[in-house]
């Protein structure tokens, strides 16, 4: 057992991030398998009822949006873990105050304090 991690980073947060990443990767792998299954079902359905493509198109769009969301979530997790390795995890990347532990426990991927996060989100386009 090593104690190399920064004293400001409770191991519970690192564990939470690692668990979140593992769960996300498993879900992404499962969904990729699921796409093939659904596409086959949809193709069979298409043969049977020739006209309706809308359902399939909607499913594809939903799948695409979900993958983008998960890719972004995974990037957030990786970034948080990187900050932990560098020892600067838990500081707001914009104003550098210490992010409250309650916020980190609720959202281990948080890189900003609540104030900076809401500013950041107001500058992001909404999907
Ligand atoms: Zn801040």
């Amino acid at each position: 057992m090593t104690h190399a991690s920064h004293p400001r980073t409770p191991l519970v947060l690192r564990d939470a991030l690692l668990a979140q990443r593992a769960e996300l990767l498993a879900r992404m792998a499962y969904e990729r398998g699921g796409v093939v299954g659904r596409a086959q079902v949809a193709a069979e359905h298409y043969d049977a009822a020739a006209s309706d493509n809308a359902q399939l198109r909607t499913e594809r769009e939903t799948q695409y949006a979900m993958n983008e969301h998960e890719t972004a979530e995974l990037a957030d997790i990786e970034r948080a873990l990187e900050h932990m390795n560098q020892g600067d995890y838990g500081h707001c990347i914009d104003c550098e105050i210490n992010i409250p532990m309650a916020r980190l426990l609720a959202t281990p991927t948080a890189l900003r304090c609540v104030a900076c996060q809401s500013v950041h989100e107001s500058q992001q386009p909404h999907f």
Side-chain angles (χ1 to χ4, degrees):
M1 190 155 184
T2 60
H3 296 274
S5 75
H6 195 275
R8 292 196 46 80
T9 304
L11 287 173
V12 65
L13 287 175
R14 190 184 198 90
D15 287 349
L17 282 168
L18 290 172
Q20 208 176 323
R21 183 171 67 170
E23 196 227 337
L24 188 62
L25 288 171
R27 201 163 72 215
M28 287 167 88
Y30 173 78
E31 278 165 6
R32 283 203 193 105
V35 177
V36 177
R38 275 204 296 274
Q40 280 167 354
V41 171
E44 281 162 24
H45 180 75
Y46 184 77
D47 285 342
S51 67
D52 193 356
N53 237 345
Q55 175 70 21
L56 178 58
R57 195 165 57 234
T58 305
E59 278 193 17
R60 274 190 188 147
E61 278 164 12
T62 305
Q63 187 67 38
Y64 197 71
M66 211 150 62
N67 285 347
E68 277 198 350
H69 175 77
E70 284 170 346
T71 304
E73 198 180 331
L74 188 62
D76 284 349
I77 294 169
E78 300 284 1
R79 204 157 38 183
L81 287 167
E82 210 173 288
H83 279 277
M84 279 182 185
N85 289 337
Q86 290 165 357
D88 60 0
Y89 175 81
H91 292 107
C92 174
I93 60 171
D94 285 349
C95 72
E96 294 180 2
I97 67 160
N98 293 336
I99 299 171
M101 191 50 64
R103 171 161 167 74
L104 292 175
L105 288 169
T107 314
T109 54
L111 297 175
R112 293 177 178 83
C113 68
V114 173
C116 292
Q117 185 64 38
S118 56
V119 171
H120 178 73
E121 276 171 14
S122 71
Q123 290 166 348
Q124 293 281 311
H126 283 272
F127 292 104

